[in-house]
Each structure stands twice: as structure tokens, then as C-alpha cells.
Amino acid sequence: MLQSPSISIETRTSWTVASAALFVLAMSFGAAWITAVALKDIASEVGGSRSIPALASSLAWLGSGFGGIVMSQIAGRIGTRWTVIFGSLMIGLGLSISTFGPPWPLWIGHGLFIGMIGIGGINAPLYVYVSRWFDRRRGSALALISSGTYLAGTIWPPIFEGAIAKFGWRHSMLLYAVAEMLVVVPVAALYFRAPPDTHHPLASAAEGAACARVLGWPPNVVFAMICCAAVLCCIPMSMPQGHLVAFCSDLGISRSVGALMLSVLLGTAFLSRQVWGAISDRIGGLTTVLIGSVWQAVAMTAFLLTQNEAGLFAVTAAFGLGFSGIIPAYVLSARELFPPSQASWRIPTLLLFSGGGMGAGSWIAGLLYDHFGYYAPAFAAGIGSNLLNLLLICILVGRQRLRPVHA
């Protein structure tokens, strides 16, 4: 937040809970990276069509967004601990169903079980849950837990590449399903107790009145613009993540090097996200989104101009450094612009739109590749989407600088 209250709810326990959430998310999101690494192997079973496994990844992202809205409401009633435990079991079931092969078992396993009721029961509920443990360094805490997907992408692709080469993609999914459930269930049971009570009834009426307008506009108009911007920036964000290994293979770079490159991309994203979190605590969420989006657009353009291995390592590292702070900055923006009492539905809704953009980007890249036979048109489409995102964010940042938040 931009301003800190005189009495803080933050304690050492707050950071312990955030670290446990990061660990859980790193394990949970690992399930989605198997399909990215095995994209060409799975596509070979359906006539080489990469859009089919790419759609599975897209459905996992989209499903997690829709599921997050419902599961966050359930978590508010029964506790985040129980939705996380349930979600981890559903991820294991979804991986098992996916092994029956493309297309439908793969799509159902990823979209319904891994995405909607698996990651959907973990990701959005943990964003809301952890945000309630912090008030002074909420941006840093959200940056930490949102790094779970990138920590997963740093650790797991090289491991999955070796496992797929040795055991095949089906057995790799089953092995990971068992590991994920054995790790996440006990961590959730031990660490995710009720958060501090941050609701202040006396402030509720004033809070509602103050939020009659946001940035001089109706609140839901501003929120709709933020959600649209999230979709547009996540479309290009997901393209290199979902297709980098296959893109490298097309250029004659081995899959093991491509998997390592993906780890570099997500490793730099994980490390730099902590810096972006500290920056967002100082300059605010929307300005952080603007800077990150400009950086992402430049890096996406570099993908169109780079074909050699050394150059791609540099571009992927730069891409990871730039885009990594965007998603937690969107969540921080929602907490800065709207009352805390609305967090339980605004944050999951925002994550639905960002997840939808991630899913759409991966799928669109697969479709355009199948049509043209190379990735340049997909990356160009991603850059165009990024530019539209920048237009929306520039408007919001301009309004924020000219007006107070609630006006």
C-alpha cells in the first residue's frame, strides 16, 4: 500500500504464511508445465497439431480463473486450508485423467480438474488469504506468492524433460501427481490457519461512501478497464512460456536446451519479482504495471529478431525480468483502488481475466503456428495485444495522477 497504518497487523507469522503459500503454489503450478515441455510429444499423437496440447494448457489457466471466483467464496466460509487441500487432490486426479491421452481426456483433466477445481481452489484463495496478513508490505508479499508459478517453471522443466525422455509424458504426469499431493496436503494443514481480523465495522459506511467513484469514474468502469488490460497483457506474456521449448526445437536447438532456457526465463522472473514487489510498495500498482508492460513489449519484439541460441538466452532473461511484476501489481492496484471488503470477489475476478489472457495467448500461438508453420505471426499478434494494453494503462495512470483514488 502507499500508506501504512500506525498499528500494523504484520508479524513474523505473516511471512511464514506467505512462504508456505509460495511453496504450495510452486508445487501446484508444476502440473501445468509438464504439457509445455511435452508439447511436441503430445502433438505427435494427434497428427502434429500443437494447438491441441496448447489448448489443454489454456483450459488449465482459464479454468483456474473461473474456479477461483467460486472457490474464494467457499474459502471465506470454510477456510483456505480446506480449499487448498481439496485443490491439491484434484490436481493429482486431473493429471491422472490427462494420461488417457489427447484430445478429450487431456482437455478435461487440465481444464476441469487441474484448472477449475484444482488450481482454482489454491491460487485465488491464497492471494486473498495472504493479503489479509499484510498492510505495510502487501505489494512485496503478493509479489512473493505470485512467484509460485515462476518458481515452478524454474525448477520443474529440466526435471520434466529428463523424466519425459526416460519414462514418457504419461508416467511423468503420474509421478508428479503423487509428489504434489504428498507435499501440498500436509503444508496446507499445518500453516493455513485463520488470518488476522482486518475488518473494521465502523469504517464500513465511510468506506462505501468514499468508493462512490474511483479515479473520477464509476468503480466498475475502472475495474472493467483493469480487467481488459490484464487480458491484453497476459496474451503476449504466455506465448514464450507455453511455446519456448517447441520454438527452440524449430530453430534446431535441442529440447534440453529449450527447457533450460524456459528455466532461465522463469528464474529471472522469480528473482526480479521480489524487486518489483518492493518497487510497487513505493510507486503503486498501476505505475508498476505500466513500466512492466513497456518492458514486455520491447522483449516480445526482440523474440522476432533473434534466432541464435546465445541471443535467445539473453532475450528470455530480459523477458523474465520485465513481465514478472505485472500480475501482482494488478492485484495490488485492486487493493489500492477498492475497499478491502470487496477483495474476496474483485481479486479472483481479476485473476480470472489474467488467467484467461494467459490461456488465450498460448492457444492463439498454437493456432497461428498450425496455420503459418512458424511462430513469427503469433509473436507479432502478441505485440499488438501488448500495445492495446499499454493504451488502457496509460489512461488509468493519467487519471490517477490527476485525481485522488476515491473522487
Side-chain angles (χ1 to χ4, degrees):
M1 298 291 287
L2 295 178
Q3 294 181 341
S4 300
S6 57
I7 300 175
S8 176
I9 62 172
E10 291 180 27
T11 64
R12 183 177 298 175
T13 303
S14 301
W15 289 105
T16 300
V17 168
S19 299
L22 170 65
F23 186 71
V24 165
L25 289 166
M27 286 299 301
S28 302
F29 276 104
W33 291 112
I34 298 178
T35 304
V37 175
L39 189 141
K40 291 185 73 173
D41 300 74
I42 299 171
S44 68
E45 299 184 13
V46 283
S49 177
R50 298 187 188 183
S51 60
I52 289 177
L55 180 58
S57 297
S58 299
L59 290 172
W61 281 108
L62 189 60
S64 70
F66 279 110
I69 295 176
V70 176
M71 299 299 278
S72 292
Q73 298 299 316
I74 295 173
R77 294 177 178 271
I78 67 173
T80 302
R81 170 187 295 168
W82 301 109
T83 64
V84 172
I85 290 173
F86 175 76
S88 71
L89 297 176
M90 292 303 99
I91 288 172
L93 179 59
L95 286 168
S96 300
I97 292 171
S98 296
T99 61
F100 288 96
W104 287 105
L106 186 70
W107 291 342
I108 293 171
H110 276 65
L112 177 59
F113 290 93
I114 295 176
M116 184 171 292
I117 57 179
I119 296 174
I122 298 173
N123 188 41
L126 281 178
Y127 270 87
V128 178
Y129 174 75
V130 170
S131 75
R132 288 175 173 160
W133 284 89
F134 293 86
D135 47 26
R136 292 185 295 110
R137 292 172 290 181
R138 184 175 288 136
S140 297
L142 290 172
L144 178 66
I145 68 164
S146 65
S147 300
T149 182
Y150 303 123
L151 185 58
T154 303
I155 296 171
W156 295 116
I159 297 174
F160 289 153
E161 192 279 327
I164 290 167
K166 187 173 183 179
F167 303 112
W169 65 270
R170 288 180 170 83
H171 284 93
S172 298
M173 282 188 177
L174 291 174
L175 289 170
Y176 190 76
V178 174
E180 185 268 338
M181 291 184 289
L182 289 176
V183 169
V184 172
V185 171
V187 171
L190 287 171
Y191 289 100
F192 297 153
R193 62 180 178 83
D197 185 5
T198 58
H199 181 62
H200 304 289
L202 295 177
S204 296
E207 187 181 74
C211 202
R213 297 181 76 81
V214 174
L215 304 182
W217 287 331
N220 287 337
V221 170
V222 175
F223 187 63
M225 292 178 68
I226 293 173
C227 288
C228 289
V231 172
L232 291 168
C233 85
C234 287
I235 287 173
M237 187 185 296
S238 67
M239 288 179 173
Q241 295 178 58
H243 293 266
L244 183 59
V245 177
F247 176 61
C248 289
S249 179
D250 291 346
L251 296 177
I253 300 170
S254 70
R255 186 169 65 181
S256 61
V257 173
L260 177 60
M261 204 175 292
L262 181 59
S263 290
V264 169
L265 186 157
L266 297 165
T268 56
F270 170 70
L271 294 174
S272 63
R273 178 160 281 187
Q274 313 320 305
V275 177
W276 283 114
I279 291 171
S280 66
D281 281 330
R282 292 180 174 273
I283 67 175
L286 285 177
T287 304
T288 304
V289 171
L290 177 61
I291 297 170
S293 295
V294 170
W295 195 323
Q296 178 177 269
V298 173
M300 280 296 296
T301 304
F303 272 113
L304 286 174
L305 305 175
T306 309
Q307 300 289 309
N308 63 79
E309 184 176 316
L312 280 173
F313 267 111
V315 171
T316 54
F319 186 79
L321 288 171
F323 81 85
S324 59
I326 295 175
I327 298 300
Y330 276 118
V331 177
L332 182 61
S333 297
R335 288 304 309 265
E336 290 172 344
L337 295 173
F338 304 100
S341 60
Q342 299 177 8
S344 63
W345 72 268
R346 289 201 188 271
I347 290 177
T349 302
L350 182 55
L351 292 175
L352 165 63
F353 279 89
S354 65
M358 293 290 290
S362 180
W363 183 48
I364 289 169
L367 284 177
L368 291 175
Y369 178 89
D370 288 343
H371 182 74
F372 291 100
Y374 59 107
Y375 279 112
F379 290 164
I383 293 167
S385 178
N386 206 143
L387 294 176
L388 291 175
N389 156 261
L390 282 172
L391 176 61
L392 286 174
I393 295 300
C394 284
I395 293 172
L396 290 172
V397 170
R399 296 287 295 186
Q400 190 176 47
R401 291 183 180 278
L402 290 174
R403 294 171 176 266
V405 171
H406 302 301

CSV table of all heavy atoms in Angstrom, one decimal, residues 24 28 67 70-71 74 78-94 112-122 125 180-181 184-186 188-189 192:
chain,number,residue,atom,x,y,z
A,24,VAL,N,3.5,-24.0,-1.7
A,24,VAL,CA,2.3,-24.7,-2.2
A,24,VAL,C,2.1,-24.3,-3.7
A,24,VAL,O,1.8,-25.2,-4.5
A,24,VAL,CB,1.1,-24.4,-1.4
A,24,VAL,CG1,-0.2,-24.8,-2.1
A,24,VAL,CG2,1.2,-25.0,0.0
A,28,SER,N,1.9,-26.7,-7.0
A,28,SER,CA,0.7,-26.8,-7.7
A,28,SER,C,0.8,-26.5,-9.2
A,28,SER,O,0.3,-27.2,-10.0
A,28,SER,CB,-0.4,-25.9,-7.0
A,28,SER,OG,-0.6,-26.2,-5.7
A,67,GLY,N,-12.7,-21.1,-11.6
A,67,GLY,CA,-12.8,-21.8,-10.3
A,67,GLY,C,-12.4,-20.9,-9.2
A,67,GLY,O,-13.0,-21.0,-8.1
A,70,VAL,N,-15.4,-18.9,-7.5
A,70,VAL,CA,-16.2,-19.7,-6.6
A,70,VAL,C,-15.5,-20.2,-5.4
A,70,VAL,O,-16.0,-20.2,-4.3
A,70,VAL,CB,-16.8,-20.9,-7.4
A,70,VAL,CG1,-17.6,-21.9,-6.5
A,70,VAL,CG2,-17.6,-20.5,-8.6
A,71,MET,N,-14.3,-20.7,-5.6
A,71,MET,CA,-13.5,-21.3,-4.5
A,71,MET,C,-13.1,-20.3,-3.5
A,71,MET,O,-12.9,-20.6,-2.3
A,71,MET,CB,-12.3,-22.1,-5.1
A,71,MET,CG,-12.6,-23.2,-6.0
A,71,MET,SD,-13.6,-24.5,-5.2
A,71,MET,CE,-12.4,-25.4,-4.3
A,74,ILE,N,-16.0,-20.0,-1.2
A,74,ILE,CA,-16.0,-21.1,-0.4
A,74,ILE,C,-15.0,-21.0,0.7
A,74,ILE,O,-15.2,-21.3,1.9
A,74,ILE,CB,-15.9,-22.4,-1.2
A,74,ILE,CG1,-17.1,-22.6,-2.1
A,74,ILE,CG2,-15.7,-23.6,-0.3
A,74,ILE,CD1,-16.9,-23.8,-3.1
A,78,ILE,N,-15.4,-21.7,4.7
A,78,ILE,CA,-14.9,-22.9,5.4
A,78,ILE,C,-13.4,-22.8,5.7
A,78,ILE,O,-12.8,-23.7,6.5
A,78,ILE,CB,-15.1,-24.2,4.6
A,78,ILE,CG1,-14.3,-24.2,3.3
A,78,ILE,CG2,-16.6,-24.3,4.3
A,78,ILE,CD1,-14.4,-25.5,2.6
A,79,GLY,N,-12.7,-21.8,5.2
A,79,GLY,CA,-11.3,-21.7,5.4
A,79,GLY,C,-10.4,-22.0,4.2
A,79,GLY,O,-10.7,-23.0,3.5
A,80,THR,N,-9.4,-21.3,4.0
A,80,THR,CA,-8.5,-21.5,2.8
A,80,THR,C,-7.8,-22.9,2.9
A,80,THR,O,-7.5,-23.5,1.9
A,80,THR,CB,-7.5,-20.4,2.7
A,80,THR,OG1,-8.2,-19.1,2.6
A,80,THR,CG2,-6.5,-20.5,1.5
A,81,ARG,N,-7.5,-23.3,4.1
A,81,ARG,CA,-6.8,-24.6,4.3
A,81,ARG,C,-7.5,-25.7,3.6
A,81,ARG,O,-6.9,-26.5,2.9
A,81,ARG,CB,-6.8,-24.9,5.8
A,81,ARG,CG,-6.3,-26.3,6.2
A,81,ARG,CD,-6.5,-26.6,7.6
A,81,ARG,NE,-5.6,-25.7,8.4
A,81,ARG,CZ,-5.7,-25.6,9.8
A,81,ARG,NH1,-6.7,-26.2,10.4
A,81,ARG,NH2,-4.9,-24.8,10.4
A,82,TRP,N,-8.9,-25.7,3.7
A,82,TRP,CA,-9.6,-26.8,3.1
A,82,TRP,C,-9.7,-26.7,1.6
A,82,TRP,O,-9.7,-27.8,0.9
A,82,TRP,CB,-11.0,-26.9,3.8
A,82,TRP,CG,-10.9,-27.1,5.2
A,82,TRP,CD1,-11.2,-26.2,6.2
A,82,TRP,CD2,-10.3,-28.3,5.9
A,82,TRP,NE1,-10.9,-26.7,7.5
A,82,TRP,CE2,-10.4,-28.0,7.3
A,82,TRP,CE3,-9.9,-29.5,5.5
A,82,TRP,CZ2,-9.9,-28.9,8.3
A,82,TRP,CZ3,-9.4,-30.4,6.4
A,82,TRP,CH2,-9.5,-30.1,7.8
A,83,THR,N,-9.8,-25.6,1.0
A,83,THR,CA,-9.9,-25.5,-0.4
A,83,THR,C,-8.5,-25.8,-1.0
A,83,THR,O,-8.5,-26.4,-2.1
A,83,THR,CB,-10.3,-24.1,-0.9
A,83,THR,OG1,-9.3,-23.1,-0.5
A,83,THR,CG2,-11.7,-23.7,-0.3
A,84,VAL,N,-7.4,-25.5,-0.3
A,84,VAL,CA,-6.1,-25.8,-0.8
A,84,VAL,C,-5.9,-27.3,-0.8
A,84,VAL,O,-5.4,-27.9,-1.8
A,84,VAL,CB,-5.0,-25.1,0.0
A,84,VAL,CG1,-3.6,-25.6,-0.4
A,84,VAL,CG2,-5.1,-23.6,-0.3
A,85,ILE,N,-6.3,-28.0,0.3
A,85,ILE,CA,-6.2,-29.5,0.3
A,85,ILE,C,-7.0,-30.1,-0.8
A,85,ILE,O,-6.5,-31.0,-1.5
A,85,ILE,CB,-6.6,-30.0,1.7
A,85,ILE,CG1,-5.6,-29.5,2.8
A,85,ILE,CG2,-6.8,-31.5,1.7
A,85,ILE,CD1,-6.0,-29.8,4.2
A,86,PHE,N,-8.3,-29.7,-0.9
A,86,PHE,CA,-9.1,-30.2,-2.0
A,86,PHE,C,-8.5,-30.0,-3.3
A,86,PHE,O,-8.5,-30.9,-4.2
A,86,PHE,CB,-10.5,-29.6,-1.9
A,86,PHE,CG,-11.5,-30.0,-3.0
A,86,PHE,CD1,-12.1,-31.2,-2.9
A,86,PHE,CD2,-11.7,-29.1,-4.0
A,86,PHE,CE1,-12.9,-31.6,-3.9
A,86,PHE,CE2,-12.6,-29.5,-5.0
A,86,PHE,CZ,-13.2,-30.7,-5.0
A,87,GLY,N,-8.0,-28.8,-3.6
A,87,GLY,CA,-7.4,-28.4,-4.9
A,87,GLY,C,-6.2,-29.3,-5.2
A,87,GLY,O,-6.1,-29.7,-6.3
A,88,SER,N,-5.4,-29.6,-4.2
A,88,SER,CA,-4.2,-30.4,-4.5
A,88,SER,C,-4.6,-31.8,-4.9
A,88,SER,O,-4.0,-32.5,-5.8
A,88,SER,CB,-3.3,-30.5,-3.2
A,88,SER,OG,-3.9,-31.2,-2.2
A,89,LEU,N,-5.7,-32.4,-4.2
A,89,LEU,CA,-6.1,-33.7,-4.6
A,89,LEU,C,-6.7,-33.7,-6.0
A,89,LEU,O,-6.5,-34.7,-6.8
A,89,LEU,CB,-7.2,-34.2,-3.6
A,89,LEU,CG,-6.7,-34.3,-2.1
A,89,LEU,CD1,-7.9,-34.7,-1.2
A,89,LEU,CD2,-5.6,-35.4,-2.0
A,90,MET,N,-7.4,-32.6,-6.4
A,90,MET,CA,-8.0,-32.6,-7.7
A,90,MET,C,-6.9,-32.4,-8.8
A,90,MET,O,-7.1,-32.9,-9.9
A,90,MET,CB,-9.0,-31.4,-7.8
A,90,MET,CG,-10.2,-31.6,-7.0
A,90,MET,SD,-11.1,-33.1,-7.4
A,90,MET,CE,-10.6,-34.2,-6.1
A,91,ILE,N,-5.8,-31.7,-8.5
A,91,ILE,CA,-4.7,-31.6,-9.4
A,91,ILE,C,-4.1,-33.0,-9.7
A,91,ILE,O,-3.9,-33.4,-10.9
A,91,ILE,CB,-3.6,-30.7,-8.9
A,91,ILE,CG1,-4.1,-29.2,-9.0
A,91,ILE,CG2,-2.3,-30.9,-9.7
A,91,ILE,CD1,-3.1,-28.3,-8.3
A,92,GLY,N,-4.0,-33.8,-8.7
A,92,GLY,CA,-3.5,-35.2,-8.8
A,92,GLY,C,-4.4,-36.0,-9.7
A,92,GLY,O,-4.0,-36.8,-10.6
A,93,LEU,N,-5.8,-35.9,-9.5
A,93,LEU,CA,-6.7,-36.6,-10.3
A,93,LEU,C,-6.7,-36.1,-11.7
A,93,LEU,O,-6.8,-36.9,-12.6
A,93,LEU,CB,-8.1,-36.4,-9.6
A,93,LEU,CG,-9.3,-37.0,-10.4
A,93,LEU,CD1,-9.1,-38.6,-10.5
A,93,LEU,CD2,-10.6,-36.7,-9.7
A,94,GLY,N,-6.6,-34.8,-11.9
A,94,GLY,CA,-6.5,-34.2,-13.3
A,94,GLY,C,-5.3,-34.7,-14.1
A,94,GLY,O,-5.5,-35.0,-15.3
A,112,LEU,N,-10.9,-28.9,-16.2
A,112,LEU,CA,-11.8,-29.1,-15.1
A,112,LEU,C,-11.1,-29.4,-13.8
A,112,LEU,O,-11.2,-28.7,-12.8
A,112,LEU,CB,-12.8,-30.2,-15.4
A,112,LEU,CG,-13.8,-30.5,-14.3
A,112,LEU,CD1,-14.6,-29.3,-13.9
A,112,LEU,CD2,-14.7,-31.7,-14.7
A,113,PHE,N,-10.2,-30.4,-13.8
A,113,PHE,CA,-9.6,-30.9,-12.6
A,113,PHE,C,-8.4,-30.1,-12.2
A,113,PHE,O,-8.3,-29.7,-11.1
A,113,PHE,CB,-9.4,-32.4,-12.7
A,113,PHE,CG,-10.6,-33.2,-12.7
A,113,PHE,CD1,-11.2,-33.6,-13.9
A,113,PHE,CD2,-11.2,-33.6,-11.5
A,113,PHE,CE1,-12.4,-34.4,-13.9
A,113,PHE,CE2,-12.4,-34.3,-11.5
A,113,PHE,CZ,-13.0,-34.7,-12.7
A,114,ILE,N,-7.4,-30.0,-13.1
A,114,ILE,CA,-6.2,-29.2,-12.7
A,114,ILE,C,-6.5,-27.8,-12.6
A,114,ILE,O,-6.1,-27.1,-11.6
A,114,ILE,CB,-5.1,-29.4,-13.8
A,114,ILE,CG1,-4.7,-30.9,-13.8
A,114,ILE,CG2,-3.9,-28.5,-13.5
A,114,ILE,CD1,-3.6,-31.2,-14.9
A,115,GLY,N,-7.3,-27.2,-13.5
A,115,GLY,CA,-7.6,-25.8,-13.5
A,115,GLY,C,-8.7,-25.4,-12.6
A,115,GLY,O,-8.5,-24.7,-11.6
A,116,MET,N,-10.0,-25.7,-12.9
A,116,MET,CA,-11.1,-25.1,-12.3
A,116,MET,C,-11.2,-25.5,-10.8
A,116,MET,O,-11.4,-24.6,-9.9
A,116,MET,CB,-12.4,-25.6,-13.0
A,116,MET,CG,-13.7,-24.9,-12.4
A,116,MET,SD,-15.1,-25.2,-13.4
A,116,MET,CE,-14.8,-24.3,-14.9
A,117,ILE,N,-11.1,-26.8,-10.5
A,117,ILE,CA,-11.3,-27.2,-9.1
A,117,ILE,C,-9.9,-27.5,-8.4
A,117,ILE,O,-9.9,-27.8,-7.2
A,117,ILE,CB,-12.3,-28.3,-8.9
A,117,ILE,CG1,-11.9,-29.5,-9.7
A,117,ILE,CG2,-13.7,-27.8,-9.3
A,117,ILE,CD1,-12.9,-30.7,-9.6
A,118,GLY,N,-8.9,-27.5,-9.2
A,118,GLY,CA,-7.5,-27.8,-8.6
A,118,GLY,C,-6.8,-26.5,-8.3
A,118,GLY,O,-6.9,-26.0,-7.1
A,119,ILE,N,-6.2,-25.9,-9.3
A,119,ILE,CA,-5.5,-24.6,-9.0
A,119,ILE,C,-6.5,-23.5,-8.6
A,119,ILE,O,-6.2,-22.6,-7.9
A,119,ILE,CB,-4.7,-24.2,-10.3
A,119,ILE,CG1,-3.6,-25.2,-10.6
A,119,ILE,CG2,-4.1,-22.8,-10.2
A,119,ILE,CD1,-2.8,-25.0,-11.9
A,120,GLY,N,-7.8,-23.6,-9.1
A,120,GLY,CA,-8.8,-22.7,-8.7
A,120,GLY,C,-9.0,-22.6,-7.2
A,120,GLY,O,-9.4,-21.6,-6.7
A,121,GLY,N,-8.9,-23.8,-6.6
A,121,GLY,CA,-9.0,-23.9,-5.1
A,121,GLY,C,-7.8,-23.4,-4.4
A,121,GLY,O,-7.8,-23.3,-3.1
A,122,ILE,N,-6.7,-23.1,-5.1
A,122,ILE,CA,-5.4,-22.8,-4.4
A,122,ILE,C,-5.0,-21.4,-4.7
A,122,ILE,O,-4.7,-20.6,-3.8
A,122,ILE,CB,-4.3,-23.8,-4.9
A,122,ILE,CG1,-4.7,-25.2,-4.4
A,122,ILE,CG2,-3.0,-23.4,-4.3
A,122,ILE,CD1,-3.8,-26.3,-5.0
A,125,PRO,N,-7.7,-18.2,-3.8
A,125,PRO,CA,-7.9,-18.1,-2.4
A,125,PRO,C,-6.7,-17.7,-1.6
A,125,PRO,O,-6.7,-17.0,-0.6
A,125,PRO,CB,-8.4,-19.5,-2.0
A,125,PRO,CG,-9.0,-20.0,-3.3
A,125,PRO,CD,-8.2,-19.4,-4.4
A,180,GLU,N,3.0,-34.2,-5.8
A,180,GLU,CA,2.3,-32.9,-5.5
A,180,GLU,C,1.3,-33.1,-4.3
A,180,GLU,O,1.3,-32.3,-3.4
A,180,GLU,CB,1.5,-32.5,-6.7
A,180,GLU,CG,0.8,-31.1,-6.6
A,180,GLU,CD,-0.6,-31.3,-6.2
A,180,GLU,OE1,-1.2,-32.4,-6.3
A,180,GLU,OE2,-1.2,-30.3,-5.6
A,181,MET,N,0.6,-34.2,-4.3
A,181,MET,CA,-0.4,-34.4,-3.2
A,181,MET,C,0.3,-34.7,-1.9
A,181,MET,O,-0.1,-34.2,-0.8
A,181,MET,CB,-1.3,-35.6,-3.6
A,181,MET,CG,-2.3,-35.3,-4.7
A,181,MET,SD,-3.5,-36.6,-5.0
A,181,MET,CE,-2.4,-37.9,-5.8
A,184,VAL,N,1.7,-30.9,-0.8
A,184,VAL,CA,0.8,-29.8,-0.5
A,184,VAL,C,-0.2,-30.1,0.6
A,184,VAL,O,-0.4,-29.2,1.4
A,184,VAL,CB,0.0,-29.5,-1.8
A,184,VAL,CG1,-1.1,-28.4,-1.5
A,184,VAL,CG2,0.9,-29.0,-2.9
A,185,VAL,N,-0.7,-31.2,0.7
A,185,VAL,CA,-1.7,-31.5,1.8
A,185,VAL,C,-1.2,-31.3,3.2
A,185,VAL,O,-1.8,-30.5,3.9
A,185,VAL,CB,-2.3,-32.9,1.6
A,185,VAL,CG1,-3.2,-33.3,2.8
A,185,VAL,CG2,-3.1,-33.1,0.3
A,186,PRO,N,0.0,-31.8,3.6
A,186,PRO,CA,0.4,-31.5,4.9
A,186,PRO,C,0.8,-30.1,5.2
A,186,PRO,O,0.6,-29.5,6.3
A,186,PRO,CB,1.6,-32.5,5.1
A,186,PRO,CG,2.0,-32.9,3.7
A,186,PRO,CD,0.8,-32.8,2.9
A,188,ALA,N,-0.5,-27.4,3.8
A,188,ALA,CA,-1.8,-26.6,4.0
A,188,ALA,C,-2.4,-26.9,5.4
A,188,ALA,O,-2.8,-26.0,6.0
A,188,ALA,CB,-2.8,-27.0,2.9
A,189,ALA,N,-2.4,-28.1,5.8
A,189,ALA,CA,-2.9,-28.5,7.1
A,189,ALA,C,-2.2,-27.8,8.2
A,189,ALA,O,-2.8,-27.4,9.2
A,189,ALA,CB,-3.0,-30.0,7.2
A,192,PHE,N,-2.0,-23.0,7.2
A,192,PHE,CA,-3.1,-22.1,6.7
A,192,PHE,C,-4.2,-22.0,7.7
A,192,PHE,O,-5.3,-22.4,7.5
A,192,PHE,CB,-3.6,-22.4,5.3
A,192,PHE,CG,-2.5,-22.4,4.3
A,192,PHE,CD1,-2.6,-23.2,3.1
A,192,PHE,CD2,-1.4,-21.5,4.4
A,192,PHE,CE1,-1.6,-23.1,2.2
A,192,PHE,CE2,-0.4,-21.4,3.5
A,192,PHE,CZ,-0.5,-22.2,2.3
